[in-house]
Amino acid sequence: MSTSPAPAPTPSSPAAPSVAPWEELVTSALLGTDRRTPPGPASGREAPAALLDTAAVETVRRRAGLRPARAAARPEPAAADPRPQLPPAAARRLSMLLADRPGTGGGGRRGAAPDLMELLPQWLSLANARGFAAPPQTLPTLLDTARGRTDLRPAVLTFAGPRALWLARLNPDWRFALRAAPGGGAELPLPQESDRIRQLWQEGLFAERVALLTTLRAQSPETARELLATTWATERAEDRLMFLDSLRAGLAAADEPFLEQSLSDRSRNVRATAAELLSALPESALAGRMADRAGSCVAVDRTRRVPTLVVEAPHECDAGMERDGVVAKAPAGRGERSWWLGQLVEAAPLGTWQDRLGGRTPEEVVALPVADDWRSELHAAWCRAAVRQRDPGWSRALLGSPSAPEAGGPGAVSLAERAKLLATLGAAERADWVAGFVATHGLSEAFQLLGVCAVPWAAPLGRAVVDALNIARDAGSYPWSFSGVMGLAERCLDPAEAGRLDALTAVPDEPEDASPGAGGYWAEAFQRLTTTLRLRAAMREELGGP
C-alpha cells in the first residue's frame, strides 16, 4: 500500500470520503439521534437507520485493519501461515473466551460462572504448544485483546502468526505488535549471514538491534558478544545497559573479559550490571575479589562455648570496591557499614564459605549463632546471593522447614524473599515445601508462595490448598477473604481434582457464630471452581491434549 501523501481535493476531483470517528457514532447511539445528530447528511426519521448503516461500515473497516483513505493499490497479500488449523471445537472455544473480554458486556458479579478471560492465557499456551494457527476471523479480536493486556502479547503474537503482523502494518492501533515482534516483524538474519547481521546492527532501529542481539545470543553467544563489542564505545549509555543485559542468557566464562572491561564504563548502571553478571560466574576474578573481601569480614570464633560467627563490617568503601559494583552511598535509614557488608556477601560465591568456615555445610553455616545482632543482615545477604547464583543447596538451608514457627526459616525474613528462594528449587520440591507451609500456617500468607509453583499444581499442594479452603469455609468466614487464592486455584489446580470438590459445592449448615450468608457464598465459590476445572479439562481435550 502506498504511503505517499494523497493530493488535496480540487474542484475537478472528488473529495475523500468523510467517515465519522467511531467515538462520535458511539456517542450518538448512547444519547439517541433526537438529542445528538449523528454525523452525515441524514437527519430526522432517517437518522437512526443512517447511524446503524455508518456504524456497520465502520465496524468492517476497523476489523479489517484498514483506515478510510483514497483508493490506492491493494496491499500485498499476507504471508501464508503453514501451521495446521484449529480443530472446530477448539475454534468455538476460542471465540467464547474472546467474547468474555472486558468491555464486551460481561462485568458485574459472576456468581458461579467461570472467568473465561482468565482462562485465555492457558488456552493460548496449549494452542502454541500444539503448533496451531489462529483462525483468520479472530485476528482483529486477538490484537485488540493483546493491546489491552500486555501480559498476553507474547502468546497472542505467537499464536496469531505472520497475518497479525500484516494487519498491524495497516492499523495504527495495532502497531504494538510490530514493536513486540523480533525485528519489528521482519525476518532476522541467521548466524551465518554475517553481512546481513552487520548491516542490521549498524543501520537498524533500536528495537531491531535488541531483537537481533537477543536472538544471536540464544543461537551463538560468542557471535553476539563480538558483534556488541564492535560498536560498544559509540553506543549511548541507556543502550549499552540494555545490550549488556542480553548477556544474561548463556552467561559463561568466555564473557568475563568483556564484562571486566565494562567495570570501567562511564555509566554507573552499566558498571553495576557488569558487576552483577560477573558475580554470577563463581570462577571470575571479580567473584574472587569479593570472596576475599567478604571472607575478611566474617569468621568463626571458636573461643566461645558454642562456635559463633563474628562480623567486622568494612570501615570504608574504597575505589576498588566501587569499581566492582559496590554502591558507596547507603539508602536512607541504613548504616553505611552494614550496607557495604551486605553487598560484599551478596556478590561473593557461596561455595567459598564452606572452606572459610571450617568445611561446614550450608545448613551448618546458617545454623551458627551470629554475634552482635549481625544475624539478619548476614542471612539476608546470603538469601540474595542464593537467588542471584541459583544455588538450591543454600536456598534449602535458608528456607528451613515449612512447619517452623512463622515459617521464616533461618534466613528468609519476608514472604517475597521466601518466594525468590523457592524459585531456585525444582518444581516438585517447591510444591512440597509450599504444601507443608499451607498445611501448617493456612492460606493467609501463602499467596506469593503459591505464585511461584508450577502449573498445574502437584497433587500434594492441590490437596493442601483445598483442605485449607475447606477449613476456612467451616470456620464461617466470608470467601472473599480468600478470593486471591481461590482465583489462583481456578487457574492452577489440576483439573483432575474437580471430582473431589463436588462435595463442597452444597450450601453447608452455618454455625451460630458464622458470618450471615457465608455458606451460600462459599458454595457459589466452589461451584465456580469446579466448573472452571472441568472447563480447563475440556479445553485441553479439544486441543488434542491428554
Side-chain angles (χ1 to χ4, degrees), residues 427-514:
E429 185 177 2
R430 205 182 316 161
D432 286 343
W433 197 96
V434 178
F437 179 94
V438 171
T440 303
H441 304 282
L443 295 170
S444 59
E445 292 188 342
F447 186 80
Q448 280 184 287
L449 306 181
L450 290 168
V452 299
C453 293
V455 178
W457 288 337
L461 176 58
R463 286 194 294 269
V465 171
V466 172
D467 289 344
L469 287 171
N470 194 21
I471 291 172
R473 169 179 176 264
D474 290 342
S477 56
Y478 282 121
W480 46 76
S481 301
F482 303 91
S483 59
V485 174
M486 188 66 80
L488 273 179
E490 291 175 13
R491 298 189 295 275
C492 304
L493 199 62
D494 193 324
E497 295 288 322
R500 182 169 167 260
L501 296 171
D502 282 335
L504 303 177
T505 59
V507 178
D509 296 330
E510 295 182 0
E512 292 183 1
D513 57 345

Side-chain angles (χ1 to χ4, degrees), residues 96-315:
M96 291 173 56
L97 297 177
L98 292 174
D100 199 57
R101 71 187 192 279
T104 56
R109 178 181 166 188
R110 288 186 173 272
D115 187 346
L116 299 183
M117 192 60 189
E118 288 305 314
L119 294 178
L120 183 59
Q122 286 194 20
W123 190 97
L124 289 168
S125 178
L126 287 170
N128 286 331
R130 306 286 188 268
F132 288 117
Q137 67 273 17
T138 64
L139 292 176
T141 308
L142 282 167
L143 287 168
D144 282 340
T145 301
R147 182 189 179 199
R149 283 189 58 174
T150 56
D151 61 307
L152 287 178
R153 288 182 183 178
V156 165
L157 294 178
T158 298
F159 178 59
R163 289 170 174 168
L165 299 178
W166 182 87
L167 281 174
R169 295 187 183 96
L170 300 176
N171 188 340
D173 289 346
W174 299 332
R175 287 296 170 88
F176 70 85
L178 302 179
R179 295 190 297 270
E187 183 180 353
L188 292 174
L190 299 173
Q192 60 269 26
E193 297 178 304
S194 56
D195 290 341
R196 285 190 62 202
I197 288 175
R198 187 162 46 252
Q199 181 180 6
L200 182 57
W201 181 249
Q202 294 174 351
E203 302 175 7
L205 300 174
F206 176 70
E208 295 173 329
R209 300 177 74 209
V210 171
L212 174 65
L213 192 64
T214 303
T215 302
L216 281 178
R217 185 66 179 177
Q219 298 172 350
S220 176
E222 183 177 353
T223 301
R225 187 181 62 252
E226 291 174 352
L227 181 67
L228 179 56
T230 61
T231 60
W232 181 256
T234 60
E235 302 287 356
R236 300 183 306 164
E238 54 267 34
D239 294 350
R240 294 198 304 276
L241 181 62
M242 184 71 74
F243 293 146
L244 191 65
D245 201 59
S246 70
L247 299 186
R248 294 182 189 276
L251 185 66
D255 298 318
E256 182 180 358
F258 181 81
L259 293 172
E260 185 74 27
Q261 181 183 357
S262 299
L263 292 175
S264 302
D265 195 89
R266 303 184 301 276
S267 167
R268 184 180 67 180
N269 290 332
V270 172
R271 295 196 301 270
T273 300
E276 180 187 347
L277 293 173
L278 282 168
S279 69
L281 295 171
E283 303 301 322
S284 68
L286 179 139
R289 295 192 295 269
M290 287 300 198
D292 291 339
R293 292 174 180 131
S296 67
C297 297
V298 182
V300 178
D301 184 355
R302 296 180 176 84
T303 64
R304 307 190 184 206
R305 183 174 58 85
V306 176
T308 302
L309 291 179
V310 291
V311 175
E312 182 66 26
H315 289 271

